Amino acid sequence: MAETRFGQGSANNSTRAVIGGHNGGSGADQNSIEYITMGTSGSGSNFGDLTMDRGYTGAGAVADRAIWAGNGGDTHADAVAGIDYVTITSTGNASDFGDMTVARTQVGGDHPGNVTRVAIAGGKNVSGSNISTIDYVVVGTTGNATDFGNLSLSKTFCSGTSGC
């Protein structure tokens, strides 16, 4: 990778992985996106930027579109509802996708075997409480997330939705 990263969200299609947002070595959230071309060796390359600095964000992809949801880091006061998206096969800056049903940080994102949706689960809300909310977005369109239900327990720092 071109930068030291932790707390990033990553997603991929069959040819490229995109890694966006992270809490860098300085402790501050970052907005950069990198990509790696699958099946080749080499370093990560600059892809573009997210619409805002993000860290501990959930991500997922369906086909040629990736999304990042939430924001934060160690402080729940930075929780946001915003979702960004990019087209994986072309580099450039992210665009606004819509909003989750609840502003949060430290979420998990994944497309658990689904060909149209990405689920966004768990996290910490702006008051600092772990939450059990599950949202989903239809990735081929833009718009706000829809409430899907709840996890059996309120959780944070999920590793994808299968890790909740």
Side-chain angles (χ1 to χ4, degrees):
M1 302 300 307
E3 299 180 55
T4 301
R5 293 180 176 265
F6 62 92
Q8 70 276 355
S10 59
N12 66 282
N13 66 10
S14 60
T15 59
R16 186 179 273 181
V18 288
I19 304 97
H22 67 287
N23 192 284
S26 67
D29 293 340
Q30 306 292 317
N31 69 347
S32 63
I33 306 170
E34 291 186 52
Y35 74 93
I36 299 169
T37 303
M38 310 291 231
T40 65
S41 58
S43 300
S45 299
N46 182 48
F47 186 95
D49 292 327
L50 296 167
T51 63
M52 64 182 299
D53 292 343
R54 293 180 187 267
Y56 301 106
T57 182
V62 173
D64 198 28
R65 184 176 278 184
I67 63 114
W68 285 269
N71 180 53
D74 294 328
T75 173
H76 57 276
D78 293 331
V80 298
I83 304 170
D84 286 354
Y85 77 96
V86 297
T87 301
I88 297 172
T89 54
S90 61
T91 59
N93 293 333
S95 298
D96 179 53
F97 184 94
D99 291 327
M100 294 181 290
T101 61
V102 178
R104 53 190 142 155
T105 182
Q106 304 166 1
V107 301
D110 200 357
H111 66 99
N114 196 295
V115 296
T116 60
R117 296 178 179 179
V118 166
I120 305 159
K124 189 175 293 263
N125 65 19
V126 294
S127 67
S129 299
N130 291 354
I131 61 173
S132 63
T133 304
I134 304 171
D135 288 344
Y136 74 88
V137 294
V138 177
V139 177
T141 64
T142 57
N144 293 332
T146 302
D147 185 359
F148 185 80
N150 294 87
L151 298 167
S152 59
L153 297 169
S154 298
K155 297 182 179 184
T156 187
F157 287 113
C158 295
S159 174
T161 54
S162 3
C164 278

